[in-house]
Amino acid sequence: MPLPSTEALQAALSTVDDPEIKKPITELGMVESVDVSDEGHVRVGVLLTVPGCPLKDRITRDVTAAVSAVEGVTGVDVQLGVMSDEQRGNLREQLRGGAAEREIPFARPDSLTTVYAVASGKGGVGKSTVTVNLAAALAEEGLRVGVVDADIYGFSVPRMLGVTQPPTQVDDMILPPVAEPSGVKVISIGMFVPGNQPVVWRGPMLHRAVQQFLADVYWGDLDVLLLDLPPGTGDIAITVAQLLPGSELIVVTTPQQAAAEVAERAGAISMQTHQRLVGVIENMSWLELPDGSRQELFGSGGGRAVAESLSRSIGAEVPLLGQVPLDIALREGGDQGRPVVLDAPDSPAATALRGVARQLARRGRGLAGRKLGITPTVNR
């Protein structure tokens, strides 16, 4: 049997993506060496971005599997090393694409990422649950999705997405963990706080935390970025509007009048921050009973009332994007880190949430105000 060629081995390695960066390890400069013995045994030297990389075992498995599939390979030995400071610097510069450090890529005029800030007037309406399920459902639609858990005091997104690994830091760049199987990238202050320790911060520190999540985290090329905002209209809501002036608001409420009145305030902030209101999602709309009837435990009409009130206030249509029923599968999915849209896609709540995600996915990436790289010419 002929020995495997260098070209064939490199081609196989180019199919292996770094699990965090989602780019081929060959493109990232992580393949240090490839040696083949006379018996067809291949030894691959792989450079990790940092010592103790949490996904080194997965990289080893993926490299082994890819190289083993090459004709003529009789065995694979993966030797792990660590990038030098210079190599990490080159990688960081490559990932930033020449952009200035501390720059928020989503605030650039040429950014094609749609940014949704998910807000609520008060806590307990299921805003985080809606956010993580929309993220997973949008990823199912084929979009590249990221989530910022901007609810600094009440962080819960990592648990709901089933993310347990910490972020990897390459010098001053943070690589966000990826939720499986959705592929959603996520960052949260909960990943930096030991145990269940509370975060006791005031305005400037909250602003800095959100800024770091947006500027220091390598998100790659995202189609959609979702921010799970804390309830109300406080510091972080203002910070997001300042840092991401092109972000759009989605308001989550429940049916009862008391919650709807508060939700209107969360949406009305868009008139001061000049953010576009995408629509309203009503959560906990009803409980479907075994006989097919519905029991409206929290009343009815709150979501539509909020949408109609905000439409009058801003002078433009604010649609009711969907109504999500009470569903045990939705609660269990959040507790177990398995979004219901993936774990029980035919359940009532999942069906409603996937319907909202499809509406958001159809909106696509806008080109208004974007640089198209076209130079006009004059025909004489």
Side-chain angles (χ1 to χ4, degrees):
M1 181 180 297
L3 295 178
S5 67
T6 302
E7 292 76 13
L9 293 172
Q10 288 290 345
L13 289 168
S14 69
T15 66
V16 179
D17 285 353
D18 178 274
E20 294 170 303
I21 304 175
K22 297 298 183 182
K23 289 181 179 290
I25 59 174
T26 50
E27 182 181 323
L28 299 173
M30 295 175 65
V31 179
E32 182 181 33
S33 61
V34 180
D35 300 308
V36 185
S37 71
D38 293 338
E39 294 78 28
H41 192 93
V42 180
R43 183 175 60 196
V44 183
V46 177
L47 296 176
L48 302 175
T49 53
V50 293
C53 173
L55 295 175
K56 61 183 179 181
D57 291 340
R58 177 171 169 182
I59 293 173
T60 300
R61 288 196 305 269
D62 291 350
V63 169
T64 301
V67 174
S68 297
V70 176
E71 185 178 0
V73 172
T74 59
V76 180
D77 178 26
V78 179
Q79 296 186 337
L80 301 178
V82 180
M83 286 185 172
S84 65
D85 291 342
E86 181 180 358
Q87 289 168 322
R88 273 195 299 273
N90 292 337
L91 174 63
R92 190 174 67 251
E93 183 176 349
Q94 175 188 344
L95 294 178
R96 291 191 189 278
E101 295 192 8
R102 299 290 188 265
E103 180 182 48
I104 297 174
F106 312 112
R108 290 169 55 99
D110 57 351
S111 172
L112 294 179
T113 302
T114 302
V115 181
Y116 295 121
V118 185
S120 68
K122 61 191 299 183
V125 300
K127 169 184 52 61
S128 298
T129 299
V130 167
T131 301
V132 300
N133 278 282
L134 286 180
L138 286 166
E140 279 285 284
E141 292 288 322
L143 302 180
R144 291 162 292 190
V145 184
V147 178
V148 174
D149 188 355
D151 193 350
I152 304 297
Y153 298 139
F155 53 87
S156 58
V157 169
R159 166 183 282 277
M160 290 184 173
L161 281 173
V163 175
T164 57
Q165 72 185 73
T168 299
Q169 187 164 346
V170 179
D171 296 336
D172 60 353
M173 177 183 285
I174 301 169
L175 304 181
V178 179
E180 299 296 349
S182 63
V184 173
K185 296 180 178 179
V186 59
I187 199 72
S188 170
I189 196 66
M191 298 172 178
F192 304 91
V193 176
N196 199 30
Q197 181 177 322
V199 177
V200 187
W201 288 351
R202 300 187 70 177
M205 293 186 70
L206 296 173
H207 178 93
R208 177 60 181 148
V210 175
Q211 186 177 39
Q212 282 191 282
F213 286 166
L214 296 171
D216 293 348
V217 173
Y218 172 71
W219 292 102
D221 184 21
L222 294 182
D223 296 301
V224 178
L225 178 70
L226 292 159
L227 291 95
D228 182 32
L229 301 185
T233 56
D235 290 333
I236 290 181
I238 297 170
T239 285
V240 168
Q242 291 174 338
L243 297 177
L244 297 168
S247 59
E248 303 175 271
L249 281 176
I250 296 174
V251 177
V252 179
T253 186
T254 47
Q256 70 265 40
Q257 190 63 33
E261 290 174 354
V262 181
E264 288 178 28
R265 297 176 213 152
I269 193 177
S270 65
M271 291 185 288
Q272 300 178 47
T273 59
H274 307 292
Q275 292 167 286
R276 179 178 176 180
L277 260 171
V278 177
V280 177
I281 299 173
E282 183 185 271
N283 193 28
M284 309 181 195
S285 298
W286 58 76
L287 176 66
E288 292 194 10
L289 300 178
D291 63 1
S293 62
R294 295 176 175 180
Q295 184 173 3
E296 296 172 333
L297 297 176
F298 298 106
S300 64
R304 187 163 300 281
V306 172
E308 291 174 352
S309 175
L310 290 174
S311 296
R312 291 191 298 270
S313 298
I314 69 174
E317 183 185 3
V318 178
L320 177 62
L321 297 172
Q323 295 174 286
V324 183
L326 285 161
D327 193 333
I328 292 177
L330 182 62
R331 191 272 303 165
E332 291 177 340
D335 287 343
Q336 297 167 5
R338 299 198 301 265
V340 71
V341 294
L342 303 180
D343 204 46
D346 296 324
S347 64
T351 300
L353 287 161
R354 286 190 290 111
V356 174
R358 280 193 294 271
Q359 294 178 63
L360 299 179
R362 283 198 297 267
R363 299 179 76 236
R365 290 180 164 193
L367 294 176
R370 316 299 193 197
K371 295 180 180 179
L372 301 181
I374 299 174
T375 302
T377 59
V378 177
N379 293 325
R380 299 185 184 276

